[in-house]
Amino acid sequence: MFAASKLATVSPLSPVNAENQQVLVPSMAEKGAYDDSPYPLLTWRTFVMGALVSMGGLVFGYDTGQISGFLEMDDFKERFGERSPGSNDYTFSNVRSGLIVGLLSIGTLLGALIAAPFANKFGRRLSISWWCVVFAIGVIVQIASSTNWVQIVIGRWVAGLGVGAMSILVPLFQSESAPTHIRGAIVCCYQLFITLGILLANIINFGTERMENSGSWRIPMGIGFLWALILGGGILLFPESPKYAYRKGRVDEARRTMTKLLGVPDNHRKVAMELTEMKKKLDAEQGKHAWWQCFTSPRMLYRTLLGITLQAFQQLTGANFFFYYGTTVFKATGVNDSYVTQIILGTVNFACTFPGLVLVEKYGRRRCLIFGAAWMCMCFLVFASVGHFALDPQDPTRTPKAGAAMIVFACLFIAAFASTWGPMVWAVTGELYPAPYRATCMSISTASNWVWNFLLAFFTPFITSAIDYRYGYVFAACCAAAALTVYFFLLESQGRTLEEVDTMYLLHIKPWESSKWRAPTGEELVAVDGLMSDNGEINREPADGQDREEQR
């Protein structure tokens, strides 16, 4: 089952690899000491690892996708809603529905922030398994609810702790484990499984919403327990990420894991080179690193703020705006069932994530993110203009052409988001930070995502009631700002080891020139602490070394 794939191979000495990274360090070994055979593009071990760990995305997507359907189910409303005055109908007040939906985001925010210390102390693998247990406890609390809506809220908060923790642990584990040449695609699988989870939740809700008992919501909720069980148990069958194992002194374990995931023998040159880079980085570090050094160490404030900004823009691109308004727009074409609307949009979202797995490695992170942001900006300008000036908000069926145009541009937007900003932000934030601060910085940046997720969910109804579809112009401006942020601040990390990415930021490589940068050899790689002089200022010698390398 775990035999290496023979469909495609990549040579460590081929132009494909030489384009983005230096070949062998001459001093590492005499010629012929290492195996230079080509390595598979993808091994079964890497495929299974990517798919299994991405189940964390399925947990996330499924849990967030099911709640909107629950709020429309009769049995759920009768048990946890409020009776409307003068009728037998049950509804949810804005406060109650807001708490039921929003407490998950509060839990995810907290879970994202506290996951890093667990990951650094107990490892990535055991931490993922533990937070799956926390999520399962939250699901059990919700299923056990009978008529007390507060119990639902508490259960969603507990489940949110697990979802938030997994939202940093899964990309972290993937980025530290996946081979360099497919790391972006593997991490992007996390977003693919998020969209799959949302789609599955929509389909299952559609299948159970006609049930006249608690099975209408308990069955979909209980199925969510299965995803956590698969991930929490399955991850224990895999070894720890090689980056983490190496930093804990388990060098042989790190080497074995790398050779198995890459599909090469123990003496392969690529493995030796990456181990040498890890050693140089680790040797240059000085003692323990406190969390506040994410802001005070050389170039760390820049990188931490960049990660926070990119995660914020993933929300501020406005993808959820289309799902919020989807039902209204689809009514213009005669589709009145909100469950059908969610399935249509969810299908587009899921299907269009697949191209992102290819684009991220073929064209790089920067190009895709800039192009995707520009595309989304255009879609929002058209969508907002047609919605405000042409669509009849009182009776959308009277303006079917406007509705059809808006549906087209909504789907075009979702296609752009799903293939660029949806998956690739997780990839770049997993590559952005050096090893000592990676878990902590990913926690902080991911918390930014959850903060904006909550703020947009809470304030969107108030904003749209005041300015209707013109709200889309705000998101269009955010998309334009996102494109500029990527162009001026984000370095290209395609095909580079995490140690090389670290070196690029330390050497102040210009982002718009980063795709052409050539990595120094293993002995010349610099680490964060290696750039520090006695007074805490940045030592600029490595940059001079880079200039000398370029002159040669």
Side-chain angles (χ1 to χ4, degrees), residues 241-299:
S241 80
K243 305 284 186 183
Y244 180 84
Y246 190 93
R247 295 185 63 80
K248 293 297 180 180
R250 307 195 308 255
V251 179
D252 290 338
E253 178 187 339
R255 180 185 291 106
R256 286 195 303 271
T257 302
M258 292 173 66
T259 56
K260 289 178 181 178
L261 291 174
L262 193 58
V264 297
D266 290 344
N267 65 334
H268 198 275
R269 192 181 301 268
K270 181 173 175 60
V271 174
M273 289 172 62
E274 292 197 23
L275 288 172
T276 298
E277 291 175 1
M278 285 189 271
K279 182 179 186 302
K280 294 296 180 182
K281 291 287 184 178
L282 186 60
D283 289 346
E285 294 172 12
Q286 301 170 359
K288 295 184 177 180
H289 297 79
W291 68 267
W292 60 81
Q293 290 181 293
C294 292
F295 302 95
T296 60
S297 290
R299 297 290 282 171

Side-chain angles (χ1 to χ4, degrees), residues 12-13 17-26 273 277 496 500 518-522 524 549 552:
L13 301 179
N17 285 331
E19 179 181 349
N20 285 327
Q21 59 187 10
Q22 201 81 354
V23 192
L24 178 66
V25 181
M273 289 172 62
E277 291 175 1
R496 306 191 190 281
E500 290 171 350
R518 294 293 178 266
T521 56
E524 296 172 325
E549 176 69 22
R552 289 198 296 269

Side-chain angles (χ1 to χ4, degrees), residues 328-329 332 385-394 396-397 399-400 402-403 406 469:
T328 301
V329 176
S385 299
V386 174
H388 180 66
F389 295 107
L391 186 73
D392 186 341
Q394 303 301 324
T397 58
T399 51
M406 294 178 72
Y469 289 95

Side-chain angles (χ1 to χ4, degrees), residues 215-237:
S216 60
W217 56 274
R218 280 192 168 118
I219 290 175
M221 191 178 288
I223 291 175
F225 186 90
L226 176 63
W227 316 134
L229 182 64
I230 294 174
L231 174 59
I235 191 67
L236 297 179
L237 302 178

Side-chain angles (χ1 to χ4, degrees), residues 104-308:
L104 178 79
S105 296
I106 300 298
T108 54
L109 171 61
L110 183 59
L113 289 174
I114 64 179
F118 284 90
N120 288 333
K121 183 174 180 60
F122 300 106
R124 286 53 164 141
R125 186 176 62 105
L126 292 178
S127 295
I128 290 175
S129 187
W130 161 248
W131 288 108
C132 285
V133 173
V134 173
F135 172 81
I137 293 173
V139 172
I140 292 172
V141 171
Q142 293 176 75
I143 292 179
S145 304
S146 180
T147 57
N148 188 349
W149 69 274
V150 176
Q151 187 172 340
I152 290 287
V153 169
I154 294 174
R156 283 184 60 76
W157 180 80
V158 174
L161 293 174
V163 171
M166 283 185 276
S167 69
I168 77 124
L169 294 174
V170 169
L172 176 63
F173 184 90
Q174 291 173 322
S175 64
E176 291 186 341
S177 300
T180 303
H181 60 284
I182 56 169
R183 185 181 61 235
I186 293 295
V187 180
C188 285
C189 285
Y190 176 64
Q191 177 69 19
L192 176 67
F193 275 66
I194 291 176
T195 61
L196 175 60
I198 294 173
L199 178 59
L200 287 176
N202 293 335
I203 293 174
I204 294 172
N205 280 348
F206 179 73
T208 63
E209 59 98 9
R210 292 178 177 83
M211 299 176 66
E212 298 180 355
N213 53 41
S214 64
S216 60
W217 56 274
R218 280 192 168 118
I219 290 175
M221 191 178 288
I223 291 175
F225 186 90
L226 176 63
W227 316 134
L229 182 64
I230 294 174
L231 174 59
I235 191 67
L236 297 179
L237 302 178
F238 279 84
E240 185 55 85
S241 80
K243 305 284 186 183
Y244 180 84
Y246 190 93
R247 295 185 63 80
K248 293 297 180 180
R250 307 195 308 255
V251 179
D252 290 338
E253 178 187 339
R255 180 185 291 106
R256 286 195 303 271
T257 302
M258 292 173 66
T259 56
K260 289 178 181 178
L261 291 174
L262 193 58
V264 297
D266 290 344
N267 65 334
H268 198 275
R269 192 181 301 268
K270 181 173 175 60
V271 174
M273 289 172 62
E274 292 197 23
L275 288 172
T276 298
E277 291 175 1
M278 285 189 271
K279 182 179 186 302
K280 294 296 180 182
K281 291 287 184 178
L282 186 60
D283 289 346
E285 294 172 12
Q286 301 170 359
K288 295 184 177 180
H289 297 79
W291 68 267
W292 60 81
Q293 290 181 293
C294 292
F295 302 95
T296 60
S297 290
R299 297 290 282 171
M300 285 309 302
L301 178 62
Y302 177 102
R303 294 157 78 173
T304 302
L305 293 179
L306 179 59
I308 291 172

